[in-house]
Amino acid sequence: MGAGLAAAVVPGCSGGGGGRSEALQVWGGVPAASGPADVVKAFQQKFPQYKVEYTRFVNDDRGNLKLDTALQGGVDIDVYFTYSQGAMALRAGSGLAADLTDRVRADPELQVYLDTEKPRSYIDNGKVKALATAREPFFVLFNEKLRQRAGVELPHAWTIDEFRATARKLTTDKTVGVYTVPDVARIALGPNYWYAGDRSNFGDPHFEQGFRLGREMIADGTAFPWTEVLSRHLDAYQQNAFLGEEFHLWSTAPFNLRYLYDAKKYPHDFKVAFAPSPTVDGKDWNGGSFSNFIMINPKSPKFEAAWAFVKFWLTEGATPMLKGGKMPALGNVTDDQIVSGMLGKEPEKYFDLDSFRRVVLTSEPKLATDTRLTGFPEITLAVKQQRDLCWIGEKDPGAAIREVRRLADAAIARNERRP
Amino acid sequence: MATATLVSAGTKARVEQGRGIRPSGWTGFLFIAPNLLGVIAFTLIPLISVLVLAFTDWNLVSGIGGITFNGLGNFVAIARDPGFWHAIGLTLVYVVVSVPLTVILGLGLGIALNRPLPGRAVLRAIFFLPYIVNVVAVGMTWLMLMNPKAGLVNQVLDVFGIRPGWFASSHWALPALIVMAIWGGVGYCSLIYLSALQDAPRQLYEAADIDGASAWAKFRVITWPSLLPTTIFLLVTLIIGASQGFGLIALITAGGPGDATTTISYYMYQTGFQFYRFGYASAIGLVTFVGVLVLTLFTWRAQRGRALND
Amino acid sequence: MTRSKWLWGIPLWILAIAFLAPFGWMISTALKPDVDAYKIPMQWIPHPFQWDNFTTVLSGATSVLPAFGRSVFVAVLRVAGELVTATMAGYAFARMSFKGRDKLFLLYLATAIIPAQLLLVPRFIYFQKLGLYDTLWALILPGMFTVLGTFLMRQFFVSQPAEFAEAARMDGANEWRVFTRIYLPLATPVMSALGILAFVWSWNDYETPLVLISNPDRYTLPLSLTNFVDEQGQIAPGLTMAASVISIVPVLLVFVVLQRRFVAAMTHTGIK
């Protein structure tokens, strides 16, 4: 045991550090087994001249800190992923992302990445620095068993008021109508909705409307009690309460679909149907976004290989990522691939496929990514903190939004001051 | 009187502690050298850079070239930062309540576990468990035990007609964390006390028994003075721990609801790791460092006054 | 005596249940389907009962055993190093006298007060320059020389009587001999405590390896648990807890072995 152990261990004591490896080094937050390993395999098959090594970092604050320090410290990384908008602005603006503008311009397949109306890339001072690999539109899921029992129609289009009325109809003395309300302000205002000129936009009435709607629905029992959400960490584990039939309606995104077909780990006896997100004042921006941005380290000596890999992932390679609910940003997969990739082996058993096709495949949700990111992490935190206080009933919606506005203005001012 | 004899015996023991130390010149340094050099090489050098960063504006991502010095700017900003003062206030409450209680309960537990008990070795391990169990398991269990609606804790408290909101209430979240800190720390304290108790001067107890001293008198005069250095160690390490620990906070409340559990360590974590304000976070660290240092010196003086210079 | 044994024993055992809770929950969660892990009210007895999580954690691509081996290697070196260096330094700070001793000690103590999280980034940069980044030495070396260990040993030696040293010196023993032959044997209980603590600190250290190790082939045990966290940050409860149960075994072994040193069991603890 002793000798074997030492032999197994001692190699770990040497090596590492500075040296450049032959292989292309890719760092991402998705565990290799959940898709990336297959993407890498397919890439190496198509381009035998390149070898790829995929390293997974945990996509949380500390995991991102590790990626940042590694990038900064000159660790051998050629391609990496950015998931949080807060880190994006800093990485792109601080010389940690290569300029991809020329490559994107030159490629007819990639023209959509130059769109600035519904952006799906991060453009820093006119230079394309990061490209979204996935699109994650929000939709509303119905527990079909409970919906039919309550005699509610499956909506093809609806307003936020109809959404509320439906939640009320679905509420029983044992179960709650909806987990929580969609982001009203986002639907009405679209990308960069937190910013207005050089200040924050929280004076817009839609923000208070959203807080108030949530508060009222929690108070009248049609939305999930926020005290329960906090004390059970449901924000991160919503699927458990949905599968436990504690609520009927779930505004969510594709990455949560994987819990709904895994009968072994998440047994349940109901089908799920899809409805589009409700509209607000006739506006229909989707609450989801383009995401999972891929970037190239400008210090990489293997730019050609790196670009070949990026392009492969964007244009043809991303199909294996479907099983984690990541729909390719360019949409260059067939509907059947999406169905079998995202809905498991027995899609009919767990999903209402008509509504899935209608809501997810056919319709073109108005999806975009935020490109203004000044003080983004500070504002994210302020919104979360005040929303929690408001929804557990400790703070009035108006007061909560005023506090968000104050904090956001301060964060923007502080960050704009910097060069 | 028996107590008088005891007091003089105890005093004698303490006086002896301070005596008999002869100047040893360089030999002392040789004993310290291995540890000192290691601490300098692997801790002190990176530590100095933290002190330097406190006087800069740095977002980490921009690299060493992106460091800009801003003099005392961070400290001026800290003085005006309500978030900082809020966090300091919470931390003080947290420390002042949790640290003494943990030490007192740990002492009681240590004494109890030093007696002959049925299944003593197992009991000792059980009380130490919270210190070693995976923090995720600890967090999950407490969240569920303290669920306001269906948790075991509130089912018990219901008997008394109270139903705290615990982690879903900005009034109860900090008390809940304090309860957890005490629960997690007593095993650590009892372990250290247990090791220190092996060493209490036995002859003194025997003398005291002959004198027929009461149990309390023996504890006060013999046991407690011999445990004083250990107690100082525990107080200092627990204060440091409370000012640094943020693992459970990150896991359970993430500083909330609102900012109800954003203690200074978590505030520093937010500014550094979430907002990428490394210079500012370092400055907060430096200020906290000075605060804890003062507290430590204070505790230290108490020891010198009582144990050594008697 | 026997009566008082039970008089104390029973309340302590009742109290012990509260301390067993998370451990029990860990085992329970490891043995049940993930979806039951979050059920409220808590479901303590797994139903259905399943071993799958342990199989997954022990075998195949996600096996934690290699990381387990590396963690043992790191912990053993760290504990050994810390016991040697902390005991010597603690002894000198307590029982030897030299110029500036107490000032040096306070300076020493001060280094332990700087929040560890702030050290992560500077340590990364520095260790990379030293060529230690992504090697196990990045974890071992700093752990061999700690301030808190020295502090604990100092506090122990400070309360030891000086007569022993005086007597030994009269017999012509040098300082090293006084230390190893007279004071060190007395320190067995507190060294055991330090051994347990140092082992736990090493064994459960998550942040240092998180930042200083990137190659999965060099992951230590706490880091290998990140294999059971998905891209949304969701923890797979069953697998995480199964791995945690396995990871706690060596700590308990170390504890049980070393706590035997606390059995100089005085019947006189001052309270009867």
Side-chain angles (χ1 to χ4, degrees):
Chain A
M1 164 94 187
L5 195 66
V9 156
V10 171
C13 282
S14 54
R20 292 265 162 200
S21 125
E22 283 297 302
L24 191 69
Q25 300 294 324
V26 179
W27 283 40
V30 182
S34 313
D38 292 332
V39 181
V40 166
K41 214 166 113 193
F43 174 75
Q44 290 180 144
Q45 234 151 42
K46 188 171 174 188
F47 299 95
Q49 69 269 39
Y50 300 131
K51 200 179 163 314
V52 178
E53 269 171 30
Y54 181 84
T55 302
R56 189 260 172 134
F57 66 92
V58 183
N59 180 28
D60 60 10
D61 298 330
R62 286 180 279 182
N64 277 293
L65 171 84
K66 175 189 185 144
L67 173 60
D68 287 324
T69 40
L71 281 168
Q72 218 18 277
V75 171
D76 195 4
I77 300 173
D78 301 297
V79 176
Y80 63 95
F81 280 85
T82 295
Y83 303 88
S84 87
Q85 301 291 87
M88 167 90 77
L90 282 172
R91 287 175 190 159
S94 304
L96 295 186
D99 179 7
L100 306 175
T101 321
D102 294 343
R103 300 289 174 139
V104 174
R105 278 224 180 95
D107 199 320
E109 271 185 287
L110 302 180
Q111 290 308 302
V112 283
Y113 282 106
L114 299 169
D115 178 11
T116 48
E117 284 292 302
K118 286 188 271 180
R120 57 183 86 190
S121 58
Y122 183 73
I123 300 176
D124 174 60
N125 286 327
K127 290 178 184 136
V128 179
K129 295 278 180 77
L131 306 168
T133 60
R135 66 193 147 102
E136 297 182 315
F138 268 61
F139 38 66
V140 178
L141 298 181
F142 278 78
N143 175 331
E144 277 293 85
K145 192 175 71 180
L146 300 177
R147 180 185 71 80
Q148 281 159 9
R149 194 182 292 161
V152 171
E153 283 285 309
L154 182 67
H156 289 207
W158 49 346
T159 65
I160 193 81
D161 293 330
E162 287 163 340
F163 174 84
R164 185 176 183 177
T166 307
R168 185 182 298 280
K169 275 187 228 154
L170 291 170
T171 301
T172 69
D173 49 350
K174 281 215 187 89
T175 59
V176 178
V178 58
Y179 169 67
T180 190
V181 293
D183 189 345
V184 168
R186 179 76 186 196
I187 295 171
L189 304 170
N192 301 326
Y193 69 140
W194 284 348
Y195 303 91
D198 56 358
R199 300 199 55 170
S200 88
N201 193 30
F202 290 94
D204 187 289
H206 287 105
F207 288 100
E208 193 180 327
Q209 187 194 338
F211 271 29
R212 192 173 297 282
L213 179 67
R215 169 82 172 258
E216 286 174 3
M217 288 180 68
I218 290 163
D220 65 21
T222 54
F224 219 80
W226 208 249
T227 48
E228 279 289 290
V229 170
L230 292 186
S231 52
R232 284 167 61 187
H233 281 196
L234 277 183
D235 229 11
Y237 299 92
Q238 297 167 25
Q239 76 275 2
N240 292 312
F242 185 69
L243 288 166
E245 301 191 34
E246 292 181 67
F247 61 84
H248 299 63
L249 278 185
W250 189 15
S251 170
T252 187
F255 51 76
N256 274 324
L257 293 178
R258 65 197 149 130
Y259 301 108
L260 302 178
Y261 61 77
D262 192 343
K264 194 161 162 282
K265 274 174 138 174
Y266 298 93
H268 59 289
D269 64 351
F270 59 88
K271 273 193 179 192
V272 169
F274 295 76
S277 280
T279 58
V280 174
D281 300 339
K283 300 281 173 39
D284 60 350
W285 280 100
N286 190 285
S289 73
F290 291 102
S291 58
N292 297 248
F293 289 87
I294 197 166
M295 305 161 92
I296 295 180
N297 185 354
K299 289 178 197 151
S300 165
K302 307 183 197 95
F303 185 84
E304 286 310 319
W307 177 252
F309 184 76
V310 168
K311 171 141 194 232
F312 178 79
W313 192 303
L314 292 174
T315 54
E316 53 185 305
T319 322
M321 302 302 291
L322 280 168
K323 66 179 160 193
K326 295 188 187 299
M327 293 160 68
L330 281 182
N332 40 6
V333 277
T334 65
D335 288 0
D336 287 345
Q337 278 177 316
I338 292 185
V339 169
S340 62
M342 284 201 333
L343 303 183
K345 289 193 185 83
E346 304 165 289
E348 287 89 2
K349 193 169 164 196
Y350 295 107
F351 299 96
D352 172 55
L353 282 182
D354 279 350
S355 62
F356 177 75
R357 291 216 160 85
R358 185 170 63 239
V359 173
V360 182
L361 300 182
T362 325
S363 77
E364 279 276 323
K366 270 171 83 176
L367 211 56
T369 199
D370 284 339
T371 48
R372 254 205 90 177
L373 303 170
T374 315
F376 201 87
E378 284 99 321
I379 301 175
T380 310
L381 181 72
V383 170
K384 185 202 170 309
Q385 286 186 336
Q386 298 303 316
R387 178 202 65 193
D388 285 352
L389 290 177
C390 175
W391 287 0
I392 60 176
E394 290 185 7
K395 207 167 194 175
D396 189 66
I401 281 295
R402 277 195 297 281
E403 181 66 5
V404 175
R405 190 178 182 185
R406 188 183 70 76
L407 292 165
D409 282 341
I412 292 171
R414 189 174 54 238
N415 286 285
E416 299 271 273
R417 246 189 304 132
R418 294 217 191 116
Chain B
M1 270 312 291
T3 317
T5 326
L6 263 177
V7 170
S8 74
T11 313
K12 186 163 168 278
R14 271 178 278 155
V15 170
E16 278 165 2
Q17 288 170 358
R19 250 187 22 205
I21 299 180
R22 298 187 319 191
S24 59
W26 286 99
T27 326
F29 281 110
L30 287 179
F31 271 74
I32 291 167
N35 194 280
L36 183 66
L37 293 177
V39 169
I40 290 174
F42 301 112
T43 307
L44 200 64
I45 293 176
L47 198 142
I48 288 165
S49 57
V50 173
L51 302 185
V52 174
L53 284 177
F55 299 91
T56 69
D57 201 358
W58 188 44
N59 68 14
L60 163 75
V61 179
S62 58
I64 295 175
I67 299 177
T68 46
F69 280 88
N70 66 354
L72 293 175
N74 286 333
F75 299 95
V76 175
I78 283 175
R80 293 194 202 127
D81 180 354
F84 171 81
W85 293 108
H86 173 77
I88 288 285
L90 286 181
T91 311
L92 276 177
V93 172
Y94 183 83
V95 169
V96 166
V97 178
S98 73
V99 171
L101 279 176
T102 312
V103 172
I104 292 167
L105 294 174
L107 174 62
L109 194 62
I111 291 172
L113 290 174
N114 199 35
R115 303 173 63 91
L117 291 167
R120 183 169 69 175
V122 181
L123 268 179
R124 285 173 173 175
I126 290 175
F127 286 106
F128 193 57
L129 271 177
Y131 196 72
I132 50 177
V133 168
N134 180 350
V135 67
V136 176
V138 171
M140 269 177 80
T141 315
W142 277 92
L143 263 173
M144 295 177 111
L145 289 174
M146 289 189 153
N147 182 289
K149 249 166 76 182
L152 205 58
V153 173
N154 274 12
Q155 280 172 7
V156 174
L157 289 179
D158 229 14
V159 179
F160 307 99
I162 29 176
R163 263 185 176 277
W166 299 123
F167 301 113
S169 150
S170 46
H171 309 292
W172 285 104
L174 190 67
L177 284 176
I178 290 175
V179 169
M180 285 182 64
I182 296 171
W183 169 89
V186 288
Y188 162 76
C189 290
S190 70
L191 170 79
I192 310 262
Y193 273 130
L194 212 46
S195 73
L197 279 169
Q198 309 314 316
D199 153 66
R202 202 160 313 181
Q203 337 74 278
L204 292 182
Y205 286 111
E206 278 154 17
D209 277 348
I210 293 164
D211 287 347
S214 74
W216 171 245
K218 280 189 284 181
F219 173 78
R220 198 168 52 87
V221 180
I222 308 174
T223 313
W224 178 243
S226 76
L227 291 180
L228 196 62
T230 305
T231 307
I232 300 295
F233 171 80
L234 289 173
L235 285 173
V236 171
T237 52
L238 286 177
I239 291 172
I240 295 176
S243 69
Q244 294 196 8
F246 70 104
L248 266 178
I249 296 180
L251 199 72
I252 293 189
T253 65
D259 56 2
T261 52
T262 307
T263 60
I264 196 64
S265 56
Y266 195 74
Y267 190 64
M268 191 158 54
Y269 170 74
Q270 275 178 344
T271 43
F273 294 7
Q274 294 181 342
F275 302 166
Y276 288 87
R277 298 176 68 195
F278 263 83
Y280 194 66
S282 301
I284 293 175
L286 188 57
V287 173
T288 316
F289 163 79
V290 172
V292 177
L293 191 65
V294 168
L295 269 178
T296 304
L297 288 177
F298 193 72
T299 322
W300 190 255
R301 295 273 166 215
Q303 157 185 271
R304 283 181 64 91
R306 300 196 48 192
L308 289 177
N309 297 351
D310 226 355
Chain C
M1 203 65 233
T2 326
R3 234 186 73 211
S4 101
K5 180 172 165 173
W6 287 100
L7 207 67
W8 281 79
I10 291 168
L12 275 175
W13 271 103
I14 293 173
L15 188 63
I17 295 172
F19 286 75
L20 268 174
F23 184 64
W25 186 245
M26 204 164 87
I27 295 176
S28 159
T29 307
L31 293 171
K32 68 180 151 205
D34 278 358
V35 69
D36 289 347
Y38 299 96
K39 272 211 180 117
I40 290 269
M42 293 165 93
Q43 186 190 346
W44 287 89
I45 311 289
H47 179 82
F49 201 88
Q50 53 168 47
W51 289 102
D52 305 18
N53 290 323
F54 283 98
T55 329
T56 314
V57 160
L58 288 173
S59 60
T62 49
S63 168
V64 297
L65 289 180
F68 190 96
R70 284 185 288 269
S71 271
V72 171
F73 178 77
V74 170
V76 166
L77 285 184
R78 275 180 65 162
V79 171
E82 172 148 17
L83 279 177
V84 172
T85 66
T87 314
M88 284 170 64
Y91 175 76
F93 277 125
R95 300 242 59 95
M96 299 171 95
S97 159
F98 48 88
K99 212 170 156 227
R101 181 190 70 169
D102 288 1
K103 286 200 181 65
L104 178 64
F105 183 73
L106 285 176
L107 196 72
Y108 221 60
L109 204 51
T111 63
I113 299 175
I114 282 280
Q117 20 166 339
L118 285 181
L119 273 174
L120 288 178
V121 173
R123 230 183 211 166
F124 171 91
I125 297 169
Y126 177 63
F127 275 40
Q128 219 205 358
K129 298 252 184 295
L130 293 183
L132 293 172
Y133 169 71
D134 210 11
T135 73
L136 293 181
W137 294 112
L139 313 179
I140 297 166
L141 289 173
M144 291 173 85
F145 314 98
T146 71
V147 171
L148 289 185
T150 306
F151 185 22
L152 178 62
M153 293 314 298
R154 179 204 177 270
Q155 295 303 86
F156 167 79
F157 286 120
V158 113
S159 61
Q160 294 308 304
E163 287 94 349
F164 303 150
E166 290 298 308
R169 287 197 191 102
M170 301 248 190
D171 292 345
N174 64 18
E175 287 298 335
W176 179 252
R177 224 179 142 75
V178 172
F179 169 61
T180 53
R181 292 298 158 87
I182 299 180
Y183 286 100
L184 214 49
L186 290 174
T188 326
V190 72
M191 284 175 71
S192 307
L194 179 59
I196 293 171
L197 288 178
F199 192 87
V200 173
W201 292 335
S202 172
W203 195 256
N204 288 345
D205 190 6
Y206 171 69
E207 289 193 334
T208 322
L210 179 78
V211 173
L212 295 180
I213 303 288
S214 66
N215 187 336
D217 293 340
R218 290 173 200 134
Y219 274 15
T220 52
L221 204 50
L223 214 50
S224 73
L225 290 193
T226 59
N227 286 331
F228 311 126
V229 180
D230 72 10
E231 62 271 29
Q232 308 294 341
Q234 290 206 8
I235 293 160
L239 295 174
T240 306
M241 293 308 147
S244 304
V245 171
I246 293 162
S247 102
I248 217 168
V249 172
V251 189
L252 282 181
L253 274 178
V254 168
F255 184 90
V256 168
V257 170
L258 290 184
Q259 67 90 29
R260 281 165 197 268
R261 304 286 170 198
F262 305 157
V263 290
M266 308 187 331
T267 45
H268 303 84
T269 44
I271 301 170
K272 260 191 184 166

